[in-house]
Structures are given as C-alpha cells and as structure tokens.
Amino acid sequence: GRLPFTPNGRTASNRAADHYGRGARDNPEDFDTGERCLTDGLPLPFHTGYNNNVLIVQTPQYVGIQAEMFHDFRLIPLDGRPRVAAQWLGESRGHWEGDTLGVETRNFLDRGSYWWATSWRGARSTLAVVERFTRIDAETMDY
C-alpha cells in the first residue's frame, strides 16, 4: 500500500511535505497547483472523497475523458499518430485491445520543481503512464 521511493524520491517527498501549508504565500507560485485549482498533475483517477466523477465520450477517431476534479480534459487520438509536443498532462494515444481501451501517455512537461502536496504528482519529462479501461456494465469500469 505504499509507493517505494528511490532516495531522490524520498528527498523530494520530504521537501514537498515540509513546504505544504508553511512559508510565504505572496504569489500564486507559492501554492501547489491543486490549491490553485489547476490540476493534480497526472492523468490518473484521483480518489479524494469528492469530485471523483469522470465523463468518457467516444467517436471513431477519439476518446475524450473529462475529470470532475479540476475539469482536466484529455482528447485521446486512436489513429496511431506520432507525438509532437510536451503538454501539461502529457500526450495520450489510445488503441483497442479487444474490449479494453489501452492508453499510453508520454511527453509530459517537466514539473519536478513545482510545489505539490505529494511529490508523486510532479511529472517528469521521462514519465510514461499506461492505463487500461474495460467497461464491465452500464455502471462499472475496470481501470
């Protein structure tokens, strides 16, 4: 139930924890992006106890995923196009594996130096996230 940190990861986690809720709050950059209602940094379901709804829509060429928390929106091409530019939530590309939508996200902007409530949210440019979505029934998604 715990993330295994590398020594550098543990240092970053401790730095973020030491900063959170302390220090100057003179400009927006003194707050983490969650406190500023921008994003939590990664395109993963984030279970906070509130605002956990996700809207998924599909066309033959794209899947769109909008999270209620921060209204993060991802438009995921399904046509195998190449990646072109780093983005805040990375560049997602999707493909079907039978009834399962596989999504691989890369090309994140490097956010390792941002203040985050928890350091794992600070995406690095080398990060790759692989997700799989399988619809079980009208009310259930296996993620």
Side-chain angles (χ1 to χ4, degrees):
R2 294 189 181 175
L3 291 173
F5 284 107
T6 64
N8 287 344
R10 174 59 57 208
T11 298
S13 180
N14 290 340
R15 181 183 69 112
D18 289 345
H19 175 79
Y20 197 71
R22 299 184 182 106
R25 297 294 188 259
D26 298 326
N27 60 62
E29 291 75 25
D30 291 334
F31 294 88
D32 81 24
T33 57
E35 291 174 302
R36 293 160 51 196
C37 296
L38 296 176
T39 185
D40 266 329
L42 296 177
L44 305 171
F46 192 74
H47 305 287
T48 62
Y50 68 101
N51 288 349
N52 292 325
N53 295 306
V54 176
L55 174 67
I56 300 175
V57 296
Q58 176 186 342
T59 71
Q61 298 86 18
Y62 297 94
V63 170
I65 301 176
Q66 181 177 7
E68 182 178 16
M69 181 64 84
F70 306 115
H71 303 281
D72 286 344
F73 181 77
R74 298 160 58 198
L75 187 61
I76 303 166
L78 300 172
D79 60 7
R81 71 182 64 188
R83 299 171 196 277
V84 294
Q87 298 179 23
W88 187 280
L89 294 177
E91 277 193 300
S92 297
R93 297 293 183 264
H95 63 278
W96 288 101
E97 302 167 1
D99 291 338
T100 298
L101 173 66
V103 177
E104 183 177 298
T105 305
R106 295 181 180 269
N107 288 2
F108 289 87
L109 291 176
D110 195 321
R111 298 293 182 218
S113 63
Y114 275 47
W115 289 118
W116 304 89
T118 53
S119 62
W120 62 266
R121 295 181 190 166
R124 306 314 192 268
S125 60
T126 57
L127 177 68
V129 177
V130 176
E131 302 166 285
R132 287 186 175 75
F133 300 84
T134 305
R135 186 174 180 177
I136 303 301
D137 58 42
E139 299 291 325
T140 310
M141 180 77 65
D142 183 27
Y143 174 78

